Amino acid sequence: KAGVTQTPRYLIKTRGQQVTLSCSPISGHRSVSWYQQTPGQGLQFLFEYFSETQRNKGNFPGRFSGRQFSNSRSEMNVSTLELGDSALYLCASSFGRSGYEQYFGPGTRLTVT
Amino acid sequence: AQSVTQLDSQVPVFEEAPVELRCNYSSSVSVYLFWYVQYPNQGLQLLLKYLSGSTLVKGINGFEAEFNKSQTSFHLRKPSVHISDTAEYFCAVSDRSGGGADGLTFGKGTHLIIQP
């Protein structure tokens, strides 16, 4: 069974721009979660989607948003990029509720200049 | 809310020696516990998990961990490490009562360095 895939793997954007990241979960998984990983803050929970509904959101500004489609694929959008948004963005999928067991993708490395 | 403390940011160990990576958590509710490993330029891979039942859980690559509720700890152990175990290890918890909707709370990670 194919794992979680994320596209693109690397991205360079300029401050003020917006970006959309994509995540395809493992087939049959209905829950998708997003995390931001930085050297300073570590791994932080962004939000989780289950059956196209956002169930919870971490402590991030409204510039960070996401959605989930009927096929469980998910996108994450960051508007008005700031230098501090440079990070590895990880997507994780799980069959049921995300808190039980999550499988992570390789991540998208976003660099904001 | 939960928090996770990984007491060592870096642990150097000689090859074939045993290792223990320490993890303590704080939570006002019951939790699920996980250990993940991250190799350079890769995502996180689940090593093992504690959901319920036996407090000693075995995972992949010869790793095991023991849940100690009284000490709120979930330390990771391996009896004999290999060069290939060099990686970043993350301890994580999720809120059992919330059905997992709050996502995982991670520790800061422990860099395991295997010396030949």
Side-chain angles (χ1 to χ4, degrees), chain A residues 9 35 37 40-43 45 48 55-56 88 90 97-102 104-106, chain B residues 32 34 36 38 41-44 46 49 51 90 94 98-104 106 108:
Chain A
R9 291 292 311 278
Y35 295 84
Q37 185 178 24
Q41 298 300 317
L43 283 152
F45 172 70
E48 187 226 2
R55 296 200 303 155
N56 207 351
L88 180 66
L90 292 163
R97 301 297 181 100
S98 62
Y100 296 155
E101 186 170 339
Q102 295 186 34
F104 284 78
Chain B
Y32 299 121
F34 308 85
Y36 283 86
Q38 185 176 36
N41 299 314
Q42 294 188 27
L44 277 68
L46 180 65
K49 61 184 184 287
L51 303 182
F90 293 94
S94 67
D102 296 336
L104 296 173
F106 286 90
K108 292 291 189 183

Side-chain angles (χ1 to χ4, degrees), chain A residues 28-43:
Chain A
H29 283 193
R30 296 166 63 192
S31 171
V32 173
S33 298
W34 289 89
Y35 295 84
Q36 181 195 64
Q37 185 178 24
T38 60
Q41 298 300 317
L43 283 152

Side-chain angles (χ1 to χ4, degrees), chain A residues 49-85:
Chain A
Y49 287 87
F50 184 82
S51 294
E52 302 179 64
T53 301
Q54 185 182 93
R55 296 200 303 155
N56 207 351
K57 185 174 182 179
N59 189 25
F60 280 83
R63 300 185 297 107
F64 291 82
S65 63
R67 59 178 175 170
Q68 186 181 34
F69 302 95
S70 58
N71 61 359
S72 294
R73 190 177 70 84
S74 177
E75 288 182 347
M76 183 193 122
N77 185 77
V78 187
S79 62
T80 319
L81 284 165
E82 300 177 358
L83 296 179
D85 297 333

Side-chain angles (χ1 to χ4, degrees), chain A residues 6-13 19 21 37-39 85-90 106-112, chain B residues 38-42:
Chain A
Q6 291 187 246
T7 57
R9 291 292 311 278
Y10 301 92
L11 204 52
I12 300 176
K13 289 287 188 179
V19 66
L21 312 181
Q37 185 178 24
T38 60
D85 297 333
S86 294
L88 180 66
Y89 289 90
L90 292 163
T108 294
R109 173 74 63 184
L110 171 65
T111 302
V112 182
Chain B
Q38 185 176 36
Y39 299 102
N41 299 314
Q42 294 188 27

